[in-house]
Amino acid sequence: MVQKAERVSGPGITGGKLSGRQGRPVGNVTRGTTNPNRMRRVDRWLAGPQAWRLRRATDPLVVDLGYGATPATAVELFERLAAVRPDVRVCGIEIEPERVRAALPLQRPGLSFHVGGFELPVPGRPVLVRAFNVLRQYEETDVAGIWRLVQGRLAPGGLFIDGTCDEIGRRVTWVALDAERPLSLSMSVRFGSFDLPSDVAERLPKALIHRNVPGEPIHALMQAMDKAWLECAPLASFGNRQRWQGMCRSLRDTGWPVQDGPGRWRLGELTVDWEAVAPLP
């Protein structure tokens, strides 16, 4: 059995917010499992519709928070974002020192590795922070404090991505937050990897995964996606890509605040306003 991370509590919380603990990193060592190309779907989103944030940044600093037992996904993030901003600086952060030592041989101009946690111990204020499969291993009650801590480190116009995916990146979800509030929930799936769109629910971020129950907004969205998917079954003869686009269009037409359009839908992606899925008090 895999052991879950311990609670972020005690000296790490001041006034209901997480803080540094006498110079120690904020957080716990987690499983660290990762695979090459696992984060390709969120990286494609960061290098696509969110690329303007990097292009406009005075300091193109990006943090890959909790990259795992191997640094492959941090290297991939650097290479993908360098195509958008050649002078990008990607800092991989891990709380386990041995993971950082193992990554050091891969350092190069623009890519570095550091020991740390949610306090983000790097000079400057990052314009993008990606934390994938990290908060999933904490308690739901820890999420708000962790969010606030990372949000407080963002540069103006910066974005914090808290996400979860399966082992090879076929089902991916993430919450995007600016310095003030959560903005959106995105889902991205590989066609053929699911029977119903709601299968992605098993990979919802920690803030939502336990809220997929009747009466909660995220459950209503999952149900609406399945309903629209089934109603779009006649489009299956043209392929799952067309059927997914039909589902997304139906959701938008029935009032769901869909942020993206066909250019993203065709990739198996869907983004909605956070307010539409935020957990009830």
Side-chain angles (χ1 to χ4, degrees):
M1 177 180 293
V2 175
Q3 184 175 357
K4 292 180 63 177
E6 296 177 0
R7 293 290 312 280
V8 177
S9 58
I13 295 186
T14 303
K17 296 185 179 181
L18 293 167
S19 61
R21 295 172 290 178
Q22 299 178 344
R24 294 171 55 196
V26 177
N28 300 289
V29 177
T30 53
R31 290 174 296 181
T33 54
T34 190
N35 283 299
N37 219 27
R38 189 181 186 188
M39 310 301 178
R40 63 193 180 277
R41 292 183 175 273
V42 66
D43 289 355
R44 182 172 61 191
W45 187 75
L46 292 173
Q50 302 304 315
W52 65 271
R53 299 179 188 273
L54 197 57
R55 294 191 181 103
R56 292 184 183 179
T58 302
D59 179 10
L61 172 62
V62 176
V63 169
D64 187 16
L65 177 59
Y67 57 81
T70 65
T73 56
V75 174
E76 291 167 352
L77 180 64
F78 170 67
E79 293 173 345
R80 288 162 180 163
L81 295 186
V84 174
R85 180 84 185 247
D87 60 340
V88 68
R89 294 190 297 123
V90 173
C91 297
I93 294 179
E94 250 299 334
I95 202 167
E96 170 52 59
E98 185 54 41
R99 295 174 185 173
V100 176
R101 282 193 288 270
L104 291 179
L106 295 176
Q107 287 192 147
R108 65 192 77 168
L111 177 63
S112 59
F113 298 93
H114 310 264
V115 175
F118 296 113
E119 77 284 359
L120 308 186
V122 295
R125 301 176 72 84
V127 67
L128 295 173
V129 177
R130 185 187 71 178
F132 249 70
N133 304 304
V134 177
L135 275 74
R136 181 179 178 87
Q137 299 177 61
Y138 288 80
E139 297 294 333
E140 182 181 351
T141 51
D142 289 333
V143 170
I146 292 171
W147 279 3
R148 286 193 297 268
L149 181 59
V150 178
Q151 287 174 281
R153 292 282 283 113
L154 292 175
L159 206 63
F160 172 36
I161 310 301
D162 167 20
T164 306
C165 65
D166 67 0
E167 288 72 17
I168 57 175
R170 298 168 301 179
R171 302 177 185 178
V172 188
T173 72
W174 62 89
V175 179
L177 308 94
D178 65 11
E180 302 297 328
R181 61 188 179 88
L183 302 176
S184 61
L185 170 70
S186 296
M187 293 166 278
S188 183
V189 295
R190 178 181 177 182
F191 297 124
S193 70
F194 61 92
D195 294 320
L196 290 171
S198 63
D199 291 349
V200 78
E202 67 182 21
R203 298 295 170 174
L204 285 169
K206 192 67 179 189
L208 294 174
I209 192 166
H210 302 300
R211 301 304 186 104
N212 186 28
V213 294
E216 286 281 349
I218 186 61
H219 184 266
L221 176 60
M222 294 292 112
Q223 296 297 106
M225 290 170 64
D226 285 353
K227 180 176 182 293
W229 177 257
L230 294 172
E231 290 174 347
C232 289
L235 294 174
S237 59
F238 300 102
N240 282 331
R241 178 171 285 108
Q242 293 298 322
R243 187 177 180 181
W244 182 269
Q245 292 184 79
M247 178 200 76
C248 295
R249 188 172 294 106
S250 176
L251 290 171
R252 184 190 61 191
D253 292 347
T254 54
W256 285 96
V258 175
Q259 291 189 3
D260 46 17
R264 306 306 300 180
W265 300 342
R266 66 180 303 277
L267 302 174
E269 196 174 288
L270 174 67
T271 297
V272 299
D273 291 354
W274 174 254
E275 288 79 2
V277 295
L280 297 177

